[in-house]
């Protein structure tokens, strides 16, 4: 599964942030969309849930956490989904979480013996067994003016959908856990995923022009319409001068005939105008003339202008590092020898 790890501030959308649609038979779809601003990046989060209008039809199928053993399947009745003992028994990865206080603040209260304040802090952490309740509470958080200045860590999944009419794939960042972190926490916009690739995955045709090497591969995604996994084509980039550029080239070029390889990667999810260092070609004619006359230097002008400027708006998925378990690079998959089937799974 492809995952996200973002740290930033949440922003409510002015229009169509929350939608509720009822289908024939009484099935209701709830959907909330919002922005997360992570430094120079702006991304959109989207969570969707289906529930029956007749609550008697609703049931939750989840997993019970088993210490030192395999988690067990568990069914929770709808009217018992907020029962504290039941919520605590469910495996953490099957819960949706929103926490509007930080772990650090909670630890200070605990160490200081401030039991009343600690209890109030603990109540700010909400755990849900169904995405519909998570969505309802997230809408409240987005509507609360106090939350605008809070910095949150958002973890969840990267999900894909496919439109036959447009012959296009769409990517969605789906939050599952939203927890507050200290305001000075470094804001990031990252993800991780397993990438599958075949021969000729490296594309340097535009490298001289853009400065980026492109890597073409596929990520696996579950599609409900076919009730199974399929592969989504996806491109990744890295600047040719980046420290890991040659290493990633080596990995993606190390493919023998008919083999399908797999590598786990960490990525930067970029969408926004990035800060770029000031270079002489960005200066005015007068500034360049002053440099030529030894009246000033590029370094002094750059310092005067703040050291950097905003570049063009960029949207890309940038290779960052290797996931744990792939220190030796890519590994061969069982799909080797079936490239045609693999590349056209959808």
């Amino acid at each position: 599964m492809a995952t996200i790890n973002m740290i930033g501030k949440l922003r409510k959308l002015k229009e169509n942030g929350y939608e509720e649609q009822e289908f024939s038979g009484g099935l209701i779809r709830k959907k909330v969309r919002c922005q997360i601003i992570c430094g120079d990046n702006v991304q959109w989060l989207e969570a969707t849930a289906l529930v029956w209008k007749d609550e008697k039809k609703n049931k939750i199928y989840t997993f019970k956490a088993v210490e030192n053993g395999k988690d067990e399947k568990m069914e929770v009745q709808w009217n018992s989904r907020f029962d504290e003992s039941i919520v605590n028994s469910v495996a953490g990865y099957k819960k949706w979480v929103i926490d509007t206080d930080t772990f650090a603040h909670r630890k200070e209260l605990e160490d200081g013996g401030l039991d009343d304040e600690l209890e109030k802090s603990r109540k700010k952490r909400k755990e849900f067994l169904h995405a519909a309740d998570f969505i309802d509470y997230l809408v409240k958080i987005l509507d609360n003016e106090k939350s605008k200045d809070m910095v949150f860590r958002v973890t969840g999944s990267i999900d894909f959908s496919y439109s036959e009419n447009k012959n296009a794939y769409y990517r969605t960042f789906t939050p599952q856990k939203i927890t507050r972190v200290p305001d000075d926490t470094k804001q990031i916009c990252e993800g991780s995923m397993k990438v599958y690739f075949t021969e000729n995955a490296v594309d340097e045709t535009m490298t001289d022009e853009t400065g980026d090497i492109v890597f073409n591969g596929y990520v696996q995604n579950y599609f409900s319409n076919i009730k199974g996994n399929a592969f989504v084509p996806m491109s990744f980039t890295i600047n040719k001068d980046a420290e890991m550029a040659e290493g990633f080239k080596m990995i993606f070029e190390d493919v023998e005939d008919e083999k399908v390889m797999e590598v786990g990667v960490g990525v930067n999810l970029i969408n926004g105008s990035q800060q770029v260092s000031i270079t002489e070609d960005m200066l005015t004619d007068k500034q360049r003339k002053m440099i030529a006359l030894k009246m000033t230097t590029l370094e002094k002008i750059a310092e005067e202008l703040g050291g950097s400027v905003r570049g063009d708006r960029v949207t890309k998925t940038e290779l960052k590092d290797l996931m744990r378990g792939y220190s030796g690079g890519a590994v061969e998959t069982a799909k080797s020898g079936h490239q045609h089937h693999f590349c056209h799974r959808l």
Side-chain angles (χ1 to χ4, degrees), residues 75-340:
E75 181 179 321
V76 178
Q77 298 301 312
W78 188 250
N79 58 6
S80 300
R81 69 192 189 280
F82 296 124
D83 185 292
E84 187 175 353
S85 61
I86 292 176
V87 172
N88 290 340
S89 70
V90 171
Y93 60 88
K94 295 297 291 183
K95 298 178 187 178
W96 286 261
V97 176
I98 298 180
D99 192 344
T100 55
D101 201 0
T102 67
F103 173 81
H105 181 238
R106 206 163 278 146
K107 187 71 168 59
E108 287 178 8
L109 296 175
E110 187 175 3
D111 292 344
L114 302 174
D115 295 341
D116 291 342
E117 293 299 315
L118 179 60
E119 185 60 27
K120 291 178 183 178
S121 172
R122 285 173 175 164
K123 288 181 179 179
K124 292 181 180 180
R125 180 181 175 87
K126 307 293 185 182
E127 297 186 348
F128 306 102
L129 302 187
H130 197 281
D133 299 312
F134 170 81
I135 289 172
D136 289 343
Y137 194 69
L138 178 54
V139 170
K140 291 180 180 179
I141 296 299
L142 294 170
D143 285 338
N144 191 334
E145 287 292 320
K146 293 181 181 179
S147 68
K148 285 186 176 180
D149 295 324
M150 296 179 181
V151 178
F152 291 96
R153 178 187 297 276
V154 177
T155 58
S157 59
I158 305 175
D159 301 301
F160 297 87
S161 58
Y162 175 70
S163 171
E164 291 187 7
N165 293 334
K166 297 182 179 180
N167 189 28
Y169 299 90
Y170 297 94
R171 181 176 67 177
T172 301
F173 296 134
T174 305
Q176 184 175 353
K177 290 181 171 61
I178 300 175
T179 56
R180 190 177 177 186
V181 295
D183 295 342
D184 59 355
T185 304
K186 181 182 178 182
Q187 297 188 15
I188 58 174
C189 194
E190 300 175 346
S192 62
M193 61 194 72
K194 292 180 181 179
V195 181
Y196 300 85
F197 61 96
T198 57
E199 288 183 289
N200 304 315
V202 181
D203 183 354
E204 296 182 274
T205 55
M206 297 293 289
T207 300
D208 289 340
E209 182 177 333
T210 66
D212 285 341
I213 304 170
V214 177
F215 302 86
N216 295 309
Y218 300 82
V219 293
Q220 192 169 235
N221 187 75
Y222 178 83
F223 289 86
S224 58
N225 60 324
I226 61 172
K227 292 182 172 57
N229 291 321
F231 292 90
V232 179
M234 192 169 176
S235 294
F236 305 83
T237 68
I238 193 169
N239 187 275
K240 62 181 178 64
D241 297 323
E243 186 177 19
M244 296 188 186
E246 285 303 313
F248 276 115
K249 271 190 67 178
M250 180 186 70
I251 289 172
F252 279 86
E253 288 178 338
D254 187 18
V255 187
E256 297 179 8
D257 293 347
E258 296 296 309
K259 286 189 176 181
V260 175
M261 307 298 289
E262 171 197 306
V263 64
V265 298
V267 297
N268 292 314
L269 302 164
I270 297 174
N271 182 47
S273 300
Q274 308 296 298
Q275 294 282 348
V276 295
S277 299
I278 294 173
T279 57
E280 194 164 327
D281 61 301
M282 299 177 183
L283 305 181
T284 65
D285 291 340
K286 286 186 177 180
Q287 286 172 325
R288 283 194 288 270
K289 188 172 183 179
M290 289 299 170
I291 291 176
L293 293 171
K294 308 297 182 183
M295 302 296 291
T296 187
T297 64
L298 174 61
E299 289 74 19
K300 288 182 179 180
I301 294 175
E303 185 178 353
E304 177 186 321
L305 298 175
S308 62
V309 295
R310 290 201 175 274
D312 295 333
R313 188 170 190 84
V314 176
T315 300
K316 60 184 178 181
T317 304
E318 182 181 73
L319 294 171
K320 182 174 68 74
D321 53 22
L322 294 174
M323 283 172 54
R324 185 175 180 179
Y326 293 88
S327 58
V331 296
E332 185 179 353
T333 73
K335 298 174 180 62
S336 293
H338 302 278
Q339 285 192 25
H340 179 80

